[in-house]
Each structure stands twice: as C-alpha cells, then as structure tokens.
Amino acid sequence: FDRSVGCDNRRRGVFTTNTMRAHATDRRNATGASWMAVATALRLAALVATLNAGATAAGGSRRVSWFTSGGAWPIGTDGLNLSQWITAHRGAITGTMPCCGCWAALNNGSFVNTGRCSSKTGYTPDGDPVRAAVHRANWAAAANAGITLEPTGGFSVGFILNGSWMQPGSLDSLVQMLQTEGWDGIGVDNEDYPPTMPPELPAQFANLLGNLSSALAKANRTLVVDITSTWNSDIGGPQYIPGYKERTPSHTRYMDMAEYFADGHIPGGNKAQLAALAKMLPLKMAVPGVGMPETPGHENASCGWNPPCTNASDPKCKCLNYGWNETMFTQFVADVEAAGMEEIAVWREDMTPPSGTIPSIPDWFINALADFVGRGANVQSAPTQP
C-alpha cells in the first residue's frame, strides 16, 4: 500500500488522473548517494546531534516544518546531512515531515509503518540492516535535537468510504504505531480529484479526520492535513475545508500547498491567499507551505515528468518555477507574521527535482525562516478565531 501521490502533485500544482497514479516509488535515491554512504555519514554526524539532546524547539510557539525524503535529509544541495543541517541552522527548523507513504491504513482498520521513513525501530519490510540503520540514525538526529517527526501518508478511497477506522482497535493501532516508532504525529496527504473521487468522499473524509484528531489528541500526538485552498474540486479544496475545520479540534493543523509559488494562484498573489486562508481556518490551524528556491537560471520546478520536459519557454511544459527571491520571500514571511499565523512548512524541492532544475537553499531563505521563529519567542500566541 503506497499513498505517495502528493509528492509529485504538490511540486507542480498540476492535477490529472495520470499524475494522481504516478507515485514516487522510492525517495531514498533522491540524494544521489548510496545507502551505505549515507549511513556512514549519518553515524559520524549523529555525534554532533547528541550535543542538542533535550533541546526544546526554538522560538516559542512558532514553527518551521521541513518535508524530508523519507526522513533522510537530501544532501545534494548543500552537502549537509540531517544532523549537520540541524546544527548549522537550528533556528530555522522545529519539525520534519518525512514524505511520502511512510505509513499505511489497511482495509482491516490497522495502521502500519511501511518502512520507507525514519523511525525509532528502523523497520524495513525487507529487513535490510543498512536501511534500518539509516532510519534509526535520522530518527535519532531529529529526536535528540527536539525536532518533531510527523511522517506523511494517505488513505485509500475504500478505507474512507467504508469507515474502516470504526473497526475495533483501529485508532488504537494508530496510537501504538506512533508510540512504537517514536513519531510525534502523522501528516495526511490525500489529493483525490474527480473523476476518481466519489462525491460522498469529502464528507466521509471529514468524519475520518474528526475521529483521528480526537484519538491523537488523547494520546498527546498531532495531526497535520494537507490542503489546497485555491484548487477547486480537490478533496483538500476550498469548498471542503470549512467542513473539515468543524469536525476537528483547534490543535489540528492544515498545511496549505497553494502558497508554494511566489506569485500565488489568485489575483493579489500570496498575500491575498493568506487573507483567504485566514477566513477559512483559525490562525493556529493554518500552515502556509512554500517551495524551496531554485538556483537562478535553473528554475524548472513544475515541469512535467511524463515525458520529462525541461524547456521552460514551451507552454506545453507548464513550467512554473516557484519563483522566490529574497525580496518576495522576506515579504511573504512578514505577511504570514502579520496575519498571525504561527507555522510555515517548506517543501524540499530537491527530494524530487525534475531534469534541468538545480534547487538551492540560499542564506536569505534560511535567515528569513529563522527570524520568523526567533521573533515568536517573545510574542504571545495569536488568539484562536471564532
């Protein structure tokens, strides 16, 4: 069972029936390094991470959560593995969201670790000791530094429509999985889209989210739900978000993919999108997401992969690079702060870069995020909207 559909779709902002089926089968190759090489580097760098043992997330209530490739931090962009990155940029990271298909919900109602992502046990379905060591090392690097882990997964249409979570022991197995694997919560990345989405699916999805959030809250675990606040008809689209909000408590967070691109998707750009998002959700529940920048001259972030298309000037490619520069991103962070939102999520484009794209993590990007977190240390949390 593999629900990794969101990884490619959220990168492009393009939805088709084919792309919904085009799963990223294995993110562990995204770094371009062998598992053995990564494992060796992580074992050495883990010594650095232990210096941060017991550390609390910086910046009070504000958060910056980074999507990671199965929990294995991509190292091709800046040469830093997860331990080294946390040490170098601790102020700009409070959490990770390993992606994708880290967990699965079976038709019998049980939740299982798929073995694709970092975890305390290091479980892998094939028992590969090298991969298991990598999973454990990445988990330890985050856990020792006080960085949260909220791995992403998704639900099949059948699981949702059949109410499989209502079977005895279903949600207990979810909590048990989180406790066993040392995960702080889960991310839900369902991007179902017509014509494959039955009309009754959103209402039943709302029921599922309500039950999930309640069970996780009782276990002191978290729930993050991916949404698309400007993409109509998607299961996470604007017409359905209010219904989800009504069924879930205020500590549930909704990560919005609509802000990935610097120019936004509606008149007024991202500032208008943030204002619209603030009307849909209480501020504590709203988490705008951003796409990581590209190296100037190599910005083909949303080129299609079927077949690969790298000519950004060709309209057929639908190449819409994320487009962030220092001025635009600094203003965006200021707008998030002014809106009273407390978290920003970062999609690491270098997990799945299309041919012709060279991602980057410029200092101005890191500094803006660190400043956002740091300024929140002495600012009282914004009140929850009615």
Side-chain angles (χ1 to χ4, degrees):
F1 182 88
D2 181 6
R3 285 288 302 175
S4 59
V5 297
C7 293
D8 291 339
N9 295 328
R10 67 150 56 88
R11 176 178 59 80
R12 290 192 294 269
V14 175
F15 292 86
T16 67
T17 301
N18 288 334
T19 57
M20 289 305 298
R21 297 294 185 264
H23 296 181
T25 57
D26 198 343
R27 301 299 186 206
R28 68 181 182 275
N29 292 323
T31 65
S34 70
W35 278 103
M36 184 63 74
V38 174
T40 300
L42 284 171
R43 290 187 186 102
L44 293 174
L47 296 174
V48 178
T50 58
L51 297 176
N52 292 320
T56 57
S61 62
R62 288 192 185 167
R63 296 173 49 86
V64 175
S65 299
W66 291 70
F67 284 94
T68 64
S69 182
W73 197 256
I75 63 175
T77 298
D78 57 14
L80 302 179
N81 63 33
L82 180 56
S83 296
Q84 296 164 335
W85 207 95
I86 291 173
T87 301
H89 305 300
R90 182 63 180 89
I93 181 172
T94 66
T96 64
M97 297 177 179
C99 179
C100 301
C102 300
W103 52 266
L106 307 182
N107 289 333
N108 64 6
S110 62
F111 286 75
V112 296
N113 174 10
T114 62
R116 297 186 60 185
C117 301
S118 57
S119 66
K120 184 177 182 179
T121 66
Y123 167 76
T124 63
D126 57 3
D128 182 349
V130 175
R131 291 180 60 192
V134 171
H135 285 340
R136 288 193 295 268
N138 279 296
W139 176 87
N144 290 341
I147 301 293
T148 58
L149 291 100
E150 298 170 309
T152 60
F155 298 97
S156 68
V157 170
F159 185 96
I160 299 172
L161 290 183
N162 295 330
S164 298
W165 72 91
M166 299 300 292
Q167 298 181 66
S170 174
L171 298 182
D172 290 337
S173 77
L174 167 60
V175 172
Q176 182 62 53
M177 177 187 71
L178 296 180
Q179 293 172 339
T180 300
E181 303 302 344
W183 293 341
D184 297 281
I186 59 169
V188 174
D189 182 30
N190 270 68
E191 298 181 20
D192 302 271
Y193 199 79
T196 61
M197 183 178 75
E200 64 271 27
L201 193 66
Q204 189 72 335
F205 189 53
N207 293 333
L208 168 59
L209 294 180
N211 282 268
L212 282 177
S213 58
S214 296
L216 291 173
K218 291 177 182 178
N220 196 29
R221 293 296 193 271
T222 53
L223 175 65
V224 185
V225 184
D226 293 353
I227 58 171
T228 51
S229 68
T230 61
W231 303 346
N232 289 299
S233 299
D234 180 82
I235 194 171
Q239 63 269 57
Y240 304 124
I241 294 172
Y244 303 153
K245 177 194 70 173
E246 294 303 320
R247 296 303 305 272
T248 55
S250 60
H251 54 262
T252 304
R253 290 140 53 217
Y254 289 87
M255 197 286 297
D256 189 17
M257 295 179 271
E259 293 85 17
Y260 275 19
F261 294 85
D263 57 357
H265 291 279
I266 62 175
N270 276 325
K271 188 169 186 176
Q273 287 188 169
L274 290 173
L277 184 61
K279 293 180 180 179
M280 295 181 194
L281 293 166
L283 297 178
K284 285 187 176 182
M285 300 177 80
V287 181
V290 296
M292 204 171 74
E294 303 86 20
T295 300
H298 301 275
E299 307 104 333
N300 295 337
S302 62
C303 297
W305 276 9
N306 297 308
C309 185
T310 60
N311 182 3
S313 63
D314 184 354
K316 294 180 182 179
C317 282
K318 298 181 179 178
C319 290
L320 300 170
N321 70 76
Y322 291 139
W324 294 107
N325 59 40
E326 182 173 3
T327 300
M328 297 176 73
F329 190 70
T330 301
Q331 184 59 56
F332 173 79
V333 172
D335 291 340
V336 172
E337 191 168 350
M341 297 176 185
E342 299 182 342
E343 183 175 1
I344 296 173
V346 181
W347 170 251
R348 281 205 63 143
E349 177 194 331
D350 54 351
M351 293 195 298
T352 57
S355 178
T357 295
I358 301 178
S360 66
I361 313 179
D363 288 342
W364 54 259
F365 190 76
I366 296 296
N367 292 340
L369 294 171
D371 289 346
F372 170 75
V373 174
R375 286 191 296 266
N378 297 316
V379 176
Q380 186 176 359
S381 299
T384 302
Q385 295 174 340

